[in-house]
Amino acid sequence: MKAYKLHGPKSLENFKLGTYDEPAVRDHEVKIQVKAVSLNFRDWALANGWFGYPGEKLPFIPFSDAAGIITEVGASVTRFRVGDRVAANFFPDWHDGAFTAAKTARSLGGSTDGVLAEYVSFPEQAVAKVPDSFSFEEAAAFPCAGVTAWHSLVVQAQLKPTDTVLLQGTGGVSIFGLQIAKLMGARAIITSSSDEKLAQARDMGADVLINYKEAPNWDEKARELTQDEGVDYVLEVAGQMARSIKALKPGGSIFQIGAVGGPNDEAPNLSMVPINTQRLQGIYVGSTRMLTDMLQAFDRNQLKPVISKTFGFDQAKEALSYMGSGSHFGKIVVQVG
């Protein structure tokens, strides 16, 4: 099979396509012919050497999000059969239940081989069935960014129509967050440096738009637009914790997800958090059960992931460069088969 591997030292130049043996299938595993994969900011950061995992072994197959068709099942597999359409979970060992270190020790495309290959194999409990309403490109968009937003707003927040959510930027997590907020009837505030992207978000139902180039103190603007109450929830993806805390109402929660804005020297003042009974909750993607629930919820409500741009398999490096440019609105997808 053909697969990409990230070689050392990490760089886009060492992101290389090669020919390898197809993966074997053990008793409880399924083999998947990958049809599409999607990118996350993490993939760009890993490829460019921004960070690594403890014990990381180069080269490895990158990317974490894939959808495809099962072509082979192990002797003990009971949940799937050949021909089923499935998506792989970000954590192959987190099937259900609460977060634990053991369940999250392996993450695809980071601490273990990922999915940018023509074939992959996983335990049957590490994949979710894809409803017929989704294309493979759409299904591949869910596992990391989608589940992260779902874990935050549905599992942890148990979002209500009376809540207000602040979403940073228009990348995968934030746009999924916007869709979930509107699905639950909540009010959504979204930020961007682009009026064009803000207009797209408005067309998707965003209630309040903030251009953070025009309003760099976007936390103050968010409070102003909520009659100085603040927001109930923040999906913190930008590494702007200090401003997120200022935008949050007493009793509200920040879901700490990432830092796509790069390093930020402004240290947050955490001393007021206990007084305001605010919560800082780290979110590290989620379980196969969350992925399954989200796929079913979007299917039943006729919601589709937002795909910014699609690339061919031989254009994977171009897709990474596009991710790094920050030009996307929603998800970036690479077609594999």
Side-chain angles (χ1 to χ4, degrees), residues 56-233:
E56 180 180 271
K57 295 180 181 178
L58 295 170
F60 63 77
I61 299 173
F63 293 14
S64 61
D65 295 14
I69 298 174
I70 291 178
T71 59
E72 186 179 344
V73 298
S76 300
V77 169
T78 60
R79 298 174 62 241
F80 298 101
R81 61 186 179 182
V82 171
D84 282 347
R85 305 166 75 248
V86 295
N89 194 47
F90 181 90
F91 291 116
D93 303 317
W94 189 1
H95 308 147
D96 203 351
F99 175 100
T100 69
K103 292 176 182 177
T104 56
R106 294 196 305 149
S107 58
L108 300 183
S111 55
T112 193
D113 276 337
V115 296
L116 192 54
E118 291 181 317
Y119 290 91
V120 293
S121 62
F122 296 114
E124 64 172 326
Q125 289 183 303
V127 299
K129 193 165 185 179
V130 170
D132 291 339
S133 65
F134 299 121
S135 68
F136 288 114
E137 291 80 8
E138 290 165 343
F142 283 93
C144 183
V147 171
T148 296
W150 184 266
H151 186 182
S152 302
L153 297 178
V154 177
V155 178
Q156 292 290 339
Q158 299 182 36
L159 201 63
K160 304 184 298 298
T162 53
D163 292 333
T164 298
V165 179
L166 190 148
L167 306 156
Q168 299 173 336
T170 55
V173 173
S174 295
I175 294 304
F176 271 120
L178 173 58
Q179 291 179 294
I180 293 167
K182 301 319 297 177
L183 178 63
M184 301 300 176
R187 189 183 190 205
I189 299 174
I190 195 163
T191 71
S192 175
S193 61
S194 165
D195 285 337
E196 181 181 354
K197 289 181 179 180
L198 288 173
Q200 288 179 269
R202 180 191 58 216
D203 291 343
M204 291 179 61
D207 300 282
V208 179
L209 314 174
I210 300 176
N211 187 317
Y212 61 77
K213 279 194 173 177
E214 298 173 2
N217 296 330
W218 53 263
D219 51 313
E220 296 176 5
K221 189 69 174 176
R223 294 199 71 89
E224 174 190 329
L225 294 169
T226 55
Q227 291 73 52
D228 203 38
E229 287 187 3
V231 302
D232 296 280
Y233 301 105

Side-chain angles (χ1 to χ4, degrees), residues 41 145 148-149 151-153 157 164-175 177-178 189-191 212 218-219 222 231-248 252-264 266-270 279-285:
F41 181 78
T148 296
H151 186 182
S152 302
L153 297 178
T164 298
V165 179
L166 190 148
L167 306 156
Q168 299 173 336
T170 55
V173 173
S174 295
I175 294 304
L178 173 58
I189 299 174
I190 195 163
T191 71
Y212 61 77
W218 53 263
D219 51 313
V231 302
D232 296 280
Y233 301 105
V234 179
L235 290 192
E236 172 50 72
V237 301
Q240 297 282 320
M241 182 65 76
R243 294 195 184 280
S244 292
I245 291 173
K246 292 174 185 175
L248 195 65
S253 297
I254 293 173
F255 298 111
Q256 173 62 34
I257 294 161
V260 298
N264 179 12
E266 185 180 357
N269 178 4
L270 301 179
R279 176 174 65 142
L280 307 181
Q281 172 71 56
I283 297 291
Y284 194 11
V285 198

Side-chain angles (χ1 to χ4, degrees), residues 308-332:
S308 176
K309 193 170 183 178
T310 301
F311 293 81
F313 191 50
D314 60 347
Q315 297 175 305
K317 282 201 276 190
E318 287 91 334
L320 277 170
S321 295
Y322 185 65
M323 167 64 76
S325 75
S327 302
H328 57 293
F329 181 97
K331 294 290 291 181
I332 301 167

